[in-house]
Amino acid sequence: DVKVTQSSRYLVKRTGEKVFLECVQDMDHENMFWYRQDPGLGLRLIYFSYDVKMKEKGDIPEGYSVSREKKERFSLILESASTNQTSMYLCASSFADTKSYEQYFGPGTRLTVT
Amino acid sequence: AQKITQTQPGMFVQEKEAVTLDCTYDTSDQSYGLFWYKQPSSGEMIFLIYQGSYDEQNATEGRYSLNFQKARKSANLVISASQLGDSAMYFCAMREDYTGTASKLTFGTGTRLQVTL
C-alpha cells in the first residue's frame, strides 16, 4: 500500500513563527506536491518537486518555500506565518511516468495561525 | 490556462439512487487526463476514477463511471446505487500531459454529496 504521511494532523502557530510541514512517501515516487485547501476554492497547488533538490512554483507560492533534500521527503516552510495561511495543507506524490497517473495524498495538516 | 468548473456546491441523493456530479473543463491541450477524487469528512483524498483524453470508452470503476463528452468538454461522475458511505466532498481534476517536469493537477471547487435514507 502506498503511504504518504504528514508530520501533524493539527497544528496551531502564532503569527510570525516559522512553520515546517513535513511529508514523507514510501513508494519511491519522483514527484511530490503541496496543496492548500480552502472552502469554496478547492485545492490549489503551492509548490511541487520532480526530483531531489528540484522545485517549481505552483499557482500560489507567495509566502511559502519548500525543501527536498531526500527523494522521500518534501517539506513546506512558512517563513513567517500569517493568519491568511490558516488552511488545510495536503501533500501528494506520484511517479514521473505520466502513464502512472494517480497522485497519492497524505491525510492533511490543518494549520491554524493565531 | 487550464480550468475546472464544478457548478454544484451541494447535492442530495436518496440511498440506492443514482447521482451525477457535473464537471466541465477548459484546456487548449490535445492530451490531458481527468480525475475524480473523494474526500470524506476524515480529510483524506481518495482516487476514484481516471479518463484519458484519447480513451474512446468511458471509464468505469465499480459503481463509479465517468461520462466523458469531449466536444462538450465535460467529465461528469455518475455514482450508481448510492450508499450512505458515499457522503463526502467530490473533486474533479485535470492533468496537463507533458514531459520534463511533474504533471500538475488542476482541481475544481468540489461538490458536497449527502446521501439520505
Side-chain angles (χ1 to χ4, degrees):
Chain A
D1 247 10
V2 176
K3 272 269 191 265
V4 180
T5 57
Q6 295 183 229
S7 48
S8 306
R9 289 301 302 270
Y10 300 93
L11 209 52
V12 179
K13 295 291 182 181
R14 292 190 182 275
T15 302
E17 277 192 83
K18 191 168 186 175
V19 181
F20 293 87
L21 302 183
E22 303 282 339
C23 176
V24 178
Q25 50 93 5
D26 67 357
M27 277 300 291
D28 204 34
H29 285 164
E30 292 85 4
N31 302 333
M32 296 188 76
F33 307 83
W34 275 107
Y35 297 89
R36 67 175 279 176
Q37 181 181 2
D38 301 287
L41 297 178
L43 277 74
R44 293 178 292 165
L45 182 64
I46 304 171
Y47 268 97
F48 65 101
S49 168
Y50 52 91
D51 202 350
V52 175
K53 296 191 188 294
M54 306 304 287
K55 60 187 179 186
E56 284 199 22
K57 293 179 180 179
D59 300 318
I60 51 164
E62 297 79 19
Y64 303 94
S65 62
V66 290
S67 172
R68 193 165 179 204
E69 297 296 319
K70 293 185 177 181
K71 190 175 185 179
E72 67 271 18
R73 189 180 296 268
F74 191 36
S75 301
L76 180 70
I77 303 154
L78 287 66
E79 295 288 343
S80 178
S82 63
T83 54
N84 62 13
Q85 292 178 311
T86 292
S87 187
M88 168 75 100
Y89 290 88
L90 290 160
C91 175
S93 68
S94 73
F95 286 114
D97 178 2
T98 54
K99 291 180 184 154
S100 303
Y101 42 73
E102 184 183 343
Q103 284 189 17
Y104 295 84
F105 283 81
T109 295
R110 188 166 293 283
L111 173 67
T112 302
V113 183
T114 61
Chain B
Q2 296 192 330
K3 188 175 178 182
I4 295 282
T5 302
Q6 295 180 254
T7 56
Q8 306 153 315
M11 292 275 289
F12 286 90
V13 65
Q14 276 198 316
E15 199 180 18
K16 300 177 187 172
E17 297 289 310
V19 62
T20 298
L21 306 184
D22 294 340
C23 173
T24 58
Y25 60 92
D26 187 21
T27 181
S28 55
D29 294 338
Q30 295 302 308
S31 179
Y32 51 88
L34 294 155
F35 300 75
W36 278 91
Y37 280 85
K38 172 185 178 181
Q39 188 181 42
S41 55
S42 52
E44 77 273 25
M45 295 283 283
I46 301 167
F47 166 73
L48 294 178
I49 197 166
Y50 167 79
Q51 179 87 39
S53 59
Y54 292 116
D55 294 341
E56 293 191 353
Q57 292 201 329
N58 286 343
T60 59
E61 289 286 347
R63 293 186 299 111
Y64 304 107
S65 60
L66 199 152
N67 184 0
F68 181 47
Q69 297 189 42
K70 198 169 181 177
R72 293 187 175 188
K73 293 189 174 179
S74 75
N76 298 338
L77 177 70
V78 181
I79 306 175
S80 63
S82 297
Q83 302 171 356
L84 293 177
D86 293 333
S87 294
M89 196 75 169
Y90 289 81
F91 290 97
C92 180
M94 179 165 58
R95 184 199 71 219
E96 303 169 31
D97 280 352
Y98 57 89
T99 58
T101 60
S103 293
K104 301 184 290 182
L105 290 182
T106 300
F107 284 83
T109 53
T111 296
R112 184 168 296 282
L113 178 68
Q114 190 72 38
V115 180
T116 60
L117 291 168

